[in-house]
Amino acid sequence: MSDRDESDADPRAEQVRYDQARYVENGQYEPLLSEKDQTRVEIGASDGDDGDDSADGGSPLPDDLTRDSLELPELSEPELARHYTRLSQMIYGIDSGPYPLGSCTMKYNPKFTEDVAALPKVAVHPDRSERSVQGTLELMYRLQDYLGRIGGMDAVTLQPPAGAAGEFVGIRVAAAYHEHEGEGHRDEVIIPESAHGTNFASAALGGYEVVSLPSDEGGRVDLEALEAALSENTAALMLTNPNTLGLFERDIEEIAEMVHDVGGLLYYDGANLNALLGRARPGDMGFDVMHYNVHKTFATPHGGGGPGAGPVGVVDELAPFLPAPRVRSNGESKSEPGYELFDPEHTIGKVHGYQGNWLVLVKAFAYIARLGDEGLADASATAVLNANYLASRIGYEVPYEPFHHEFVASAGDQDAADVAKRMLDYGVHPPTTKWPEIVPEALMTEPTEVEGKGTLDRLAAAFNAVAAEDDETLESAPERTTARRIDQTSAARSPRLSWQALEPESESDE
Amino acid sequence: MHGSHTTGSPYAPHTEEDRSAMLEAVGAESVDDLFDIPDAVEFDGEFGIDARSERETRRLVRTILGRNDDLTELLGRGHYGYYVPSLVDHLADRSEFLTSYTQYQPEISQGFLQALFEYQSLLVELTGLEVANCSMYDAATALGEAATLAERVRDTSGHRVLVPDLLLEGRRSTLENYVAGTDLEVEEYPTDDANVDLAALEELVDEECVMVYAENPTVRGTIEEGLESVGDLASDHDALFVLGSDPVALSLLQRPADVGADVVVGDASVLGLPTSYGMGLGLFATTDDYLRQVPGRLVGASEDATDRRAFTLTLQTREQHIRRERATSNICTNQAWVALRTAMHAAYLGPNGMVDLAERGVTRAEDLAERLDDLVGVKAPVHDRHHLREFVARVDQPAPAIADDLEKRGFAVHVVGDHELQVCVAGVPDERIDPFVAAFREVIR
Ligand SMILES: Cc1ncc(COP(=O)(O)O)c(C=O)c1O
């Protein structure tokens, strides 16, 4: 751990130079599978063309129930191993370097969680008898219990396959609850302008009018605006806390009271829970329903976009509306104590064909069990320390404080998207850009707890190096990544969404 | 180096000196000073969760899951346990794939984007439709998304969504939730010997109908024989024809484009994921006509500054982060890594292997049905149809009792009626078939 004070003098001195892997063949990057091979297999009772590979030579089905042919690459295992290894080398992941993508909580994903999710006993079918999958049900029960304690919630469903799906469950639960109370006329969901896009989209999918709420000068919920927005038509207010600026909604108790006074429910978007573990719980703040982003807070891998899981916790009063089935202990009442599935009394039904992203849930359980109270609390404390330290080391202005696990800096006169592109050349993943819009040219930065001081210093050096560069450099960045700046307009103007849609000249000779 | 950790997150590399230096840099006495949480809502309790070493945690999970019985599963009905080659695990688990996120920065994510582009291309070939997205959560949510797409693209006053009476409860219920915020209403049409009852469907389809859904194979393993007619009925009434299927079935059965399907949904993780307690991968493909109404992420080809072909997420103005409440879907985090696995598994099989796998699903199901049919007190298959992977058997004795007895002998099957069992061969090793038939013979005695 060397002393990095010098980096202040010349931010570029300490930069990590990063040259990403790049394969070029005939003037193109790594060819598509389809450019390596295309084999057409004819299907049909009379077929004899496809050589030795098709053992039976003819289709067991009549021609009118089958397709005519299937044309796909036919490659050997070593060729595929090389193809996918090369592709993987053209990807930047958390294990490649810091990944401070704001709001996404890109933590290190502990390796051992992959091992537990690969245990042979994990691989069970969802239609097995309850008696024969007691282990699965017990793990789910324990995870429901862990999450309930962590969020201060009374009942938890593990079914939603991602955060947005959790929001949708919350919205559907709110609708069912209001309907049940004879308040089915409530047709509005209030959402702060600075909220994540999924909040709006989930409320709309549930059939609600979205009422968008401006922030106050300090970047928090404007109580007057909230007062004006609330009415007997309010079904719910969706909030994250800390909010997307990283600020704690200090008036949360008053907000909860205001929402409850008009008969609305308070929804907690759990995307930012990594700020609060062991220090504050949504349930104690007056939230009635929340989702957990286990792929954020509980370190399950993001997998290039997913899968995640978005369990939902609720207070007692809402438990009868949760998706079916849930898991409970059948306690001592039965001759064979164990776990069973049950349908909540007024369940909204299902939001996934089965029980959600089981493999992800196993990893989340293992992470929580590994860290325990102390580890979880330390994760949040360190995440907040890291965000504060990093912010103190970068030159960009951070207009809203005091932030917690993330901060939103402003790129000022620079274009935030260009700043991000240039940061790629310094071997770091850039922040989330241009959101929330309340900060001009936003750089939303969340280092998480997994970066040590040295890495944060190097990350700060990357920010500062880019801050010192001219627009021309930024606009032509990145230059050391696998691909150079990609033309977004061309992609959208003439969509080419499959190898079948590519121009013939860019395909291999056939 | 970091042996000084006694408490705290094992995944935070900080030493005590680091922490002090950092606190000093931000001008705080302690980390507590950095939190702006009012006392009234501060949590001073405990979760009561003990920290464990990695080894202890692994043992804990192994112990809990040890309570799952080892059974040979002859189970399907929407979730299949095909053998997944080692190549898929080893390469998909490369940490660049596993630990990256959505490709917001395509220049450093070419590998994943290309893999997803190849996945989309696989689905284009399988369905014959021009556009496939790079994943929905699962088959049930993909069906829900198809219905909301139908509502958006059909500007008739219609509100009816027709689904088969056989539809899996999980899919039906999820669909009901997805349409709860619209005017759509889900209605059943009858089936006849586990195929669409075309005459009954014809009666039901009218101008109020925005979508007709069918599956091939059906949930009872039967292969549909009248799909073209379903497609014609739907298009005659300006309704979308949505077809549910999966990559193995699509390798052999009629191509959706050839029977007039407008949208194909289903579980693509039939390839790529082993049995995973229902975790899946929502397949979603449609025609060019509905390109701008597609839910979820799309990977497209473009060029980079050196004019070389490069890949990027595209047409994002459909999505929630830009369009908010007017987005085509609320999906953000998806199932990209499962799509990667599916693409790898398909590439491993190649077209010959895929067709072969599907054909064996037909012949093995037929063979097993024949063997069960030879037993006294069993009729299999119940339906006079062609089957893929699975079939329903009628048993004279109560089905639940037989299933229980089979379970005691190490085999799991579905109970689908008082006297009906459903049996699936997908992923069941050949050498387990004889013992299964022997156990079946014993339990019906
Ligand atoms: C603040 C916030 N809310 C909700 C979501 C949606 O969660 P998911 O992507 O798991 O659907 C995200 C992350 O993507 C988020 O950052």
Side-chain angles (χ1 to χ4, degrees):
Chain A
M1 303 277 122
S2 64
D3 187 350
R4 302 203 173 266
D5 279 349
E6 306 262 284
S7 60
D8 281 342
D10 177 3
R12 264 160 281 201
E14 289 292 323
Q15 289 151 26
V16 176
R17 247 195 74 124
Y18 175 65
D19 288 285
Q20 194 175 22
R22 174 190 301 147
Y23 298 90
V24 184
E25 206 173 298
N26 300 328
Q28 293 287 9
Y29 300 129
E30 172 70 7
L32 289 161
L33 286 173
S34 59
E35 290 160 343
K36 300 186 177 189
D37 183 72
Q38 281 277 46
T39 296
R40 180 183 293 274
V41 176
E42 305 292 336
I43 296 161
S46 57
D47 154 63
D49 282 353
D50 55 315
D52 299 334
D53 286 317
S54 178
D56 46 26
S59 170
L61 294 174
D63 272 351
D64 60 349
L65 296 186
T66 63
R67 60 189 297 142
D68 299 335
S69 65
L70 183 68
E71 184 175 22
L72 288 168
E74 184 83 53
L75 294 159
S76 67
E77 177 167 339
E79 288 169 300
L80 289 172
R82 210 159 268 164
H83 179 71
Y84 286 110
T85 299
R86 287 181 175 195
L87 293 189
S88 75
Q89 290 170 332
M90 299 193 286
I91 305 167
Y92 184 99
I94 297 169
D95 289 356
S96 312
Y99 210 128
L101 192 64
S103 206
C104 298
T105 315
M106 300 298 293
K107 300 187 181 194
Y108 173 73
N109 311 128
K111 301 298 175 199
F112 86 95
T113 62
E114 294 306 313
D115 295 329
V116 298
L119 288 168
K121 296 257 188 178
V122 166
V124 291
H125 191 283
D127 289 353
R128 286 268 294 256
S129 69
E130 292 170 31
R131 183 184 51 227
S132 74
V133 290
Q134 284 294 302
T136 291
L137 297 184
E138 178 174 346
L139 189 138
M140 291 175 70
Y141 179 81
R142 289 202 191 197
L143 181 56
Q144 287 175 185
D145 176 59
Y146 278 174
L147 293 175
R149 294 190 219 187
I150 291 168
M153 291 285 154
D154 299 318
V156 173
T157 173
L158 304 175
Q159 195 176 111
E167 294 166 15
F168 184 55
V169 165
I171 291 293
R172 293 289 304 133
V173 163
Y177 166 78
H178 290 309
E179 192 68 45
H180 185 76
E181 298 288 299
E183 298 269 310
H185 65 274
R186 292 176 183 270
D187 61 355
E188 292 175 357
V189 171
I190 305 174
I191 303 173
E193 260 165 21
S194 60
H196 193 257
T198 52
N199 289 190
F200 304 88
S202 299
L205 179 59
Y208 284 95
E209 281 305 313
V210 173
V211 178
S212 156
L213 195 65
S215 329
D216 70 7
E217 293 204 333
R220 297 186 182 76
V221 170
D222 182 332
L223 293 185
E224 272 173 38
L226 176 61
E227 185 68 57
L230 287 165
S231 74
E232 78 269 15
N233 293 325
T234 304
L237 167 65
M238 299 177 85
L239 281 185
T240 181
N241 195 16
N243 65 23
T244 56
L245 293 166
L247 309 180
F248 196 89
E249 296 286 353
R250 288 189 203 119
D251 299 322
I252 189 60
E253 283 187 302
E254 196 177 336
I255 292 170
E257 208 176 296
M258 289 165 69
V259 172
H260 291 151
D261 277 351
V262 300
L265 295 175
L266 192 56
Y267 184 91
Y268 182 82
D269 173 343
N272 291 343
L273 191 62
N274 205 46
L276 299 183
L277 297 171
R279 280 184 192 259
R281 306 191 304 173
D284 302 333
M285 300 174 205
F287 286 94
D288 305 295
V289 45
M290 70 176 286
H291 78 256
Y292 305 79
N293 281 87
V294 310
H295 42 298
K296 301 182 182 189
T297 316
F298 305 118
T300 67
H302 280 78
V312 166
V314 294
V315 295
D316 267 332
E317 212 180 343
L318 298 178
F321 303 95
L322 284 176
R326 295 179 52 228
V327 185
R328 69 184 168 204
S329 156
N330 64 18
E332 296 77 49
S333 60
K334 292 269 174 73
S335 53
E336 262 182 273
Y339 301 88
E340 61 187 19
L341 296 168
F342 74 103
D343 289 356
E345 192 183 349
H346 307 297
T347 180
I348 60 163
K350 299 183 73 59
V351 293
H352 182 273
Y354 299 96
Q355 297 270 46
N357 282 332
W358 161 241
L359 299 180
V360 178
L361 298 170
V362 174
K363 296 176 199 181
F365 173 82
Y367 178 80
I368 297 170
R370 168 93 172 91
L371 266 70
D373 280 51
E374 284 161 356
L376 293 170
D378 182 67
S380 285
T382 308
V384 172
L385 176 62
N386 275 1
N388 277 273
Y389 178 72
L390 179 62
S392 78
R393 305 288 283 182
I394 70 172
Y396 291 115
E397 188 206 351
V398 180
Y400 295 96
E401 295 183 325
F403 49 81
H404 291 77
H405 67 304
E406 72 187 1
F407 61 86
V408 184
S410 172
D413 293 340
Q414 292 178 318
D415 183 302
D418 289 339
V419 168
K421 293 294 177 217
R422 184 59 176 154
M423 285 181 75
L424 299 173
D425 284 329
Y426 294 108
V428 302
H429 197 287
T432 297
T433 57
K434 307 227 176 193
W435 176 69
E437 281 148 19
I438 181 171
V439 174
E441 299 303 326
L443 299 168
M444 185 196 217
T445 313
E446 182 183 8
T448 84
E449 68 275 17
V450 306
E451 307 305 344
K453 180 171 174 292
T455 308
L456 294 170
D457 289 334
R458 287 192 290 278
L459 187 51
F463 272 99
N464 294 337
V466 176
E469 288 177 315
D470 56 32
D471 286 351
E472 215 173 304
T473 311
L474 264 52
E475 280 160 23
S476 58
E479 53 192 36
R480 301 183 200 138
T481 47
T482 303
R484 299 285 296 273
R485 179 83 65 112
I486 294 172
D487 187 342
Q488 295 299 328
T489 315
S490 159
R493 194 168 291 155
S494 56
R496 286 145 284 168
L497 307 177
S498 63
W499 64 53
Q500 294 86 344
L502 294 175
E503 301 288 309
E505 63 260 27
S506 64
E507 288 197 52
S508 63
D509 302 335
E510 283 180 64
Chain B
M1 283 285 283
H2 301 119
S4 59
H5 272 297
T6 48
T7 62
S9 168
Y11 310 113
H14 307 62
T15 62
E16 275 316 313
E17 300 80 76
D18 287 339
R19 282 177 205 261
S20 318
M22 289 165 71
L23 281 169
E24 199 173 317
V26 302
E29 295 266 298
S30 76
V31 178
D32 293 345
D33 296 351
L34 301 176
F35 285 85
D36 180 34
I37 303 177
D39 290 348
V41 295
E42 226 171 347
F43 176 63
D44 49 17
E46 280 174 9
F47 303 146
I49 304 170
D50 291 332
R52 295 168 179 83
S53 69
E54 178 179 303
R55 193 173 184 185
E56 283 165 346
T57 311
R58 289 180 69 169
R59 192 182 310 132
L60 171 70
V61 178
R62 211 164 39 238
T63 304
I64 295 173
L65 289 173
R67 292 168 197 140
N68 283 349
D69 297 342
D70 281 324
L71 299 178
T72 298
E73 297 177 337
L74 290 96
L75 300 172
R77 290 180 66 83
H79 187 75
Y80 301 93
Y82 284 106
Y83 172 74
V84 178
S86 293
L87 171 96
V88 174
D89 283 332
H90 285 276
L91 288 161
D93 278 354
R94 284 183 64 92
S95 80
E96 299 90 335
F97 284 128
L98 200 57
T99 74
S100 58
Y101 191 33
T102 305
Q103 296 74 27
Y104 299 119
Q105 299 294 343
E107 292 84 0
I108 49 161
S109 315
Q110 284 300 294
F112 218 122
L113 287 162
Q114 183 170 335
L116 293 174
F117 184 85
E118 291 172 351
Y119 166 79
Q120 292 175 181
S121 306
L122 166 73
L123 295 187
V124 166
E125 171 62 16
L126 286 170
T127 61
L129 304 181
E130 297 90 10
V131 182
N133 77 12
C134 76
S135 70
M136 311 262 60
Y137 303 130
D138 76 335
T141 52
L143 174 59
E145 298 276 11
T148 64
L149 179 136
E151 194 224 18
R152 289 194 298 276
V153 303
R154 285 280 160 262
D155 43 19
T156 62
S157 61
H159 57 268
R160 302 173 66 209
V161 172
L162 298 181
V163 302
D165 55 5
L166 292 177
L167 185 61
L168 282 169
E169 192 269 332
R171 292 185 186 174
R172 168 81 194 242
S173 180
T174 303
L175 172 62
E176 299 272 6
N177 270 310
Y178 268 74
V179 303
T182 69
D183 293 332
L184 298 180
E185 273 167 41
V186 182
E187 290 174 50
E188 274 175 14
Y189 64 81
T191 44
D192 174 21
D193 202 23
N195 257 206
V196 176
D197 181 337
L198 288 169
L201 182 64
E202 188 163 2
E203 294 278 291
L204 283 167
V205 184
D206 63 13
E207 308 309 320
E208 290 292 293
C209 191
V210 298
M211 160 174 162
V212 178
Y213 179 62
E215 294 182 345
N216 196 27
T218 71
V219 67
R220 296 191 142 219
T222 53
I223 295 168
E224 279 288 356
E225 292 165 20
L227 286 178
E228 276 145 311
S229 307
V230 178
D232 289 344
L233 274 177
S235 74
D236 286 350
H237 294 86
D238 217 19
L240 287 200
F241 176 25
V242 178
L243 181 65
S245 195
D246 65 78
V248 173
L250 291 169
S251 301
L252 177 63
L253 305 186
Q254 283 173 291
R255 211 170 61 129
D258 297 335
V259 297
D262 299 292
V263 181
V264 178
V265 296
D267 180 14
S269 75
V270 164
L271 291 182
L273 271 192
T275 337
S276 305
Y277 203 57
M279 175 166 162
L281 164 59
L283 182 169
F284 196 101
T286 187
T287 67
D288 258 341
D289 295 347
Y290 307 127
L291 175 59
R292 298 195 187 256
Q293 289 298 332
V294 170
R297 305 206 192 270
L298 292 169
V299 178
S302 184
E303 305 77 39
D304 73 359
T306 65
D307 232 17
R308 292 193 181 105
R309 182 182 66 210
F311 302 96
T312 182
L313 295 176
T314 192
L315 300 173
Q316 295 191 68
T317 49
R318 299 164 297 109
E319 293 187 52
Q320 45 75 29
H321 60 288
I322 295 176
R323 196 54 65 82
R324 296 191 161 199
E325 65 268 28
R326 278 179 294 283
T328 55
S329 167
N330 68 335
I331 193 168
C332 176
T333 294
N334 56 19
Q335 305 282 115
W337 182 72
V338 188
L340 168 74
R341 295 182 59 106
T342 298
M344 286 177 169
H345 193 169
Y348 177 89
L349 292 170
N352 278 298
M354 289 175 69
V355 172
D356 196 43
L357 185 63
E359 289 182 344
R360 277 188 292 122
V362 173
T363 51
R364 293 179 79 224
E366 275 173 7
D367 291 349
L368 180 57
E370 214 169 284
R371 293 182 66 181
L372 295 186
D373 195 54
D374 284 345
L375 303 178
V376 180
V378 184
K379 172 171 166 37
V382 164
H383 302 294
D384 185 21
R385 303 284 181 191
H386 292 283
H387 290 78
L388 178 67
R389 298 187 283 248
E390 58 198 319
F391 58 89
V392 175
R394 205 201 122 80
V395 286
D396 289 348
Q397 293 168 38
I402 293 186
D404 277 358
D405 288 347
L406 280 171
E407 190 173 297
K408 290 192 188 104
R409 287 168 171 74
F411 298 96
V413 297
H414 301 275
V415 175
V416 294
D418 292 344
H419 291 275
E420 285 184 337
L421 297 173
Q422 189 165 333
V423 179
C424 178
V425 297
V428 180
D430 283 335
E431 65 272 18
R432 296 300 294 153
I433 298 290
D434 283 349
F436 173 69
V437 174
F440 211 104
R441 179 177 295 118
E442 277 175 40
V443 303
I444 56 166
R445 263 213 293 264

